Amino acid sequence: MSAMATITGQSRSARERLLAAADELFYREGIHSVGIDRIIDEAGVAKASLYKCFRSKDDLVAAYLESRRRRVTDRVEAAVAGHTDPREKILAVFDSQLESSERPGFNGCAFANATAETHSTTVDEATANYRQWFLDLFTELARDAGASNPAILGAQLRLLYDGVTQSARIDRDPHAAAQGRQVAVLLLDSALPKRRRRIRAE
């Protein structure tokens, strides 16, 4: 292996360790309360490695939020892909939320937590993109399910998803996500055409 390949491999490994440490600490304790030195110690890398991989803490925060976004969207997309019926696809999003909220270390939405701490451009843009993704997903699924106003139903579903996440974190209620899914069923029953509901009932 060449010296350059070795250096590249080492840099990649350091980046992964830094991002893993930031992901755990930022999500559990908050972005402001966790300093760079703590992340470096947790990652077990030299301080120079941090600034080789990330120009600043803000860059590390951006990478952390992007990693969280990919994790959530990959999980939701996999859940949705497991169904063919549009209504079931919508409910699969809430099934995925239930699974996530029951995992050890669950601490709510990383983006809601981040915006509660700071309104930096990095955090605000990442959060806006993340929330737009959910709105687009719910709106598209509502359209496929035959909703007369998919934009409104999509917004309502995202609001429900947000509320369930916050309730599960703040109240430490293991039943919040299951109750949220039940509300989603009622919302779909009222918003989708009766013909589709009869097909589902059969």
Side-chain angles (χ1 to χ4, degrees), residues 62-199:
Y64 154 68
L65 291 175
E66 173 58 19
S67 174
R68 282 278 162 178
R69 184 196 67 80
R70 287 199 308 269
R71 192 177 312 172
V72 174
T73 57
D74 286 352
R75 168 174 55 79
V76 171
E77 286 176 345
V80 169
H83 299 272
T84 56
D85 179 72
R87 175 192 171 99
E88 293 303 317
K89 286 178 180 286
I90 293 171
L91 294 177
V93 178
F94 292 92
D95 290 333
S96 176
Q97 184 182 41
L98 172 60
E99 178 188 349
S100 175
S101 67
E102 291 179 336
R103 290 176 181 170
F106 174 76
N107 196 33
C109 173
F111 295 86
N113 297 343
T115 55
E117 291 188 82
T118 180
H119 288 289
S120 71
T121 300
T122 294
V123 170
D124 287 350
E125 289 182 353
T127 301
N129 291 336
Y130 173 79
R131 289 178 53 72
Q132 186 64 47
W133 184 87
F134 264 103
L135 181 60
D136 291 344
L137 173 69
F138 279 130
T139 301
E140 179 182 353
L141 293 177
R143 183 179 298 110
D144 292 344
S148 59
N149 197 324
I152 289 179
L153 180 56
Q156 291 171 337
L157 289 166
R158 186 182 68 171
L159 182 63
L160 175 60
Y161 188 94
D162 287 345
V164 168
T165 302
Q166 290 299 88
S167 179
R169 182 187 72 83
I170 296 171
D171 299 332
R172 299 298 173 187
D173 182 0
H175 306 297
Q179 292 169 345
R181 188 190 190 281
Q182 293 171 356
V183 174
V185 170
L186 296 176
L187 187 58
L188 295 179
D189 283 347
S190 67
L192 299 184
K194 288 185 173 61
R195 180 180 62 83
R196 287 184 177 269
R197 295 209 302 273
R198 284 201 301 271
I199 291 173

